[in-house]
Amino acid sequence: MELFLQTVGSIYDETRVKILKFINKNGELCVCDIENSFEMIQSRISRHLKILKDGGFLKVERRGTWAYYSIRSPLDEFRLSVLKEIDLLDIEIPKLKKGCAL
Amino acid sequence: MELFLQTVGSIYDETRVKILKFINKNGELCVCDIENSFEMIQSRISRHLKILKDGGFLKVERRGTWAYYSIRSPLDEFRLSVLKEIDLLDIEIPKLKKGCAL
DNA sequence: TTTATATATCAATATATCTTGATATTTCGC
DNA sequence: GCGAAATATCAAGATATATTGATATATAAA
């Protein structure tokens, strides 16, 4: 139950739904790219990414100073259906703006 | 987005997940049956049922003084996958105890 | 019409979650 | 080692949601 609620809770937020859709569309991205594209402060993005990761939707890979987030694979059937549903949602997601200084 | 979040929010609660699983297992039930089976006060059950209904999972039919809740049909693919996932959850749900005085 | 049963809704409080700004951690290059 | 960039975490305030108890509504029976 706890795991299920964590999974559900991770998508019970407008920002996280958009981030998930954004990563699903654009593929692997680092935090600063998402931060820049969404024009939200870093701590906020970082927190949401962690929640989506803990919810089982994302994985992280650290390379140097960067943390690259991408859709976890393989996804179980339930999370796949969530992703599919989110993909069908008619919502605006920002254009990808690369944001890292280096 | 709003509708999606409402749907997701309706299952982001332990009690509601159990109620949904309970109705899915036992079929159409009136509020007092659920109230009695779960041993929760009426206002609490009533509220959760409303949220599950507004989330698109349940329908109500009033017959006399009773309100009978059941799984809405047909369900779209996403809500079906939710129901399936909840059905797979290894959680305890109470035994059905008919609760109406009449 | 009065009373009882079933259900819904409201107000107040308690609890959880989100956002922001500040700070901590990690890694790289000098 | 030191400073800068990228990321993570924490504390405080704001907002949302859950629970309870009280009350409102609706139906049926006497």
Side-chain angles (χ1 to χ4, degrees), chain B residues 3-4 8 11 19 22 28 33 37 48 52 56-57 66 68-70 73-74 84 86-88 95-96 98 100:
Chain B
L3 184 62
F4 176 77
V8 170
I11 50 166
I19 290 177
F22 189 70
E28 187 186 66
D33 291 336
S37 304
H48 285 311
L52 283 168
F57 289 99
W66 293 274
Y68 290 90
Y69 284 85
S70 56
S73 177
K84 185 178 169 188
I86 287 177
D87 191 54
L88 291 175
K95 293 211 169 137
L96 176 57
K98 289 282 177 182
C100 305

Side-chain angles (χ1 to χ4, degrees), chain A residues 1-2 4 16 19-20 27 31 35 40-41 46-47 51 54 56 70 73 81 90 92 100:
Chain A
M1 171 66 92
E2 230 173 277
F4 175 77
R16 286 197 291 272
I19 290 177
L20 194 50
V31 180
E35 186 188 337
M40 291 177 183
I41 64 175
S46 183
R47 179 178 189 270
I51 292 172
D54 293 345
S70 55
S73 178
S81 72
D90 186 24
E92 259 191 81
C100 305

Side-chain angles (χ1 to χ4, degrees), chain B residues 28-91:
Chain B
E28 187 186 66
L29 293 170
C30 69
V31 180
C32 51
D33 291 336
I34 301 172
E35 187 188 336
N36 248 268
S37 304
F38 279 80
E39 294 179 335
M40 290 177 183
I41 63 176
Q42 185 270 324
S43 67
R44 185 174 172 187
I45 296 293
S46 183
R47 181 177 188 271
H48 285 311
L49 287 170
K50 177 178 169 47
I51 292 173
L52 283 168
K53 174 170 72 73
D54 293 345
F57 289 99
L58 299 181
K59 69 175 199 290
V60 211
E61 198 190 322
R62 265 206 113 112
R63 294 203 291 273
T65 23
W66 293 274
Y68 290 90
Y69 284 85
S70 56
I71 304 294
R72 194 169 148 184
S73 177
L75 281 184
D76 59 290
E77 209 178 322
F78 175 61
R79 290 194 182 83
L80 267 178
S81 72
V82 169
L83 222 56
K84 185 178 169 188
E85 184 71 7
I86 287 177
D87 191 54
L88 291 175
L89 289 181
D90 186 24
I91 54 175

Side-chain angles (χ1 to χ4, degrees), chain A residues 12 32 42-43 46 62 65-67 69 100-101:
Chain A
Y12 184 42
C32 51
Q42 185 269 325
S43 66
S46 183
R62 266 208 113 113
T65 23
W66 294 274
Y69 284 84
C100 305

Side-chain angles (χ1 to χ4, degrees), chain A residues 52-97:
Chain A
L52 283 169
K53 174 171 72 73
D54 293 345
F57 289 98
L58 299 181
K59 69 176 198 289
V60 211
E61 197 189 323
R62 266 208 113 113
R63 295 202 290 272
T65 23
W66 294 274
Y68 291 90
Y69 284 84
S70 55
I71 303 295
R72 194 168 147 185
S73 178
L75 281 184
D76 58 290
E77 209 178 321
F78 176 61
R79 291 195 182 82
L80 267 178
S81 72
V82 169
L83 221 57
K84 185 178 170 188
E85 184 71 7
I86 287 177
D87 191 54
L88 292 175
L89 289 180
D90 186 24
I91 54 175
E92 259 191 81
I93 53 173
K95 294 209 168 136
L96 177 57
K97 270 194 276 184

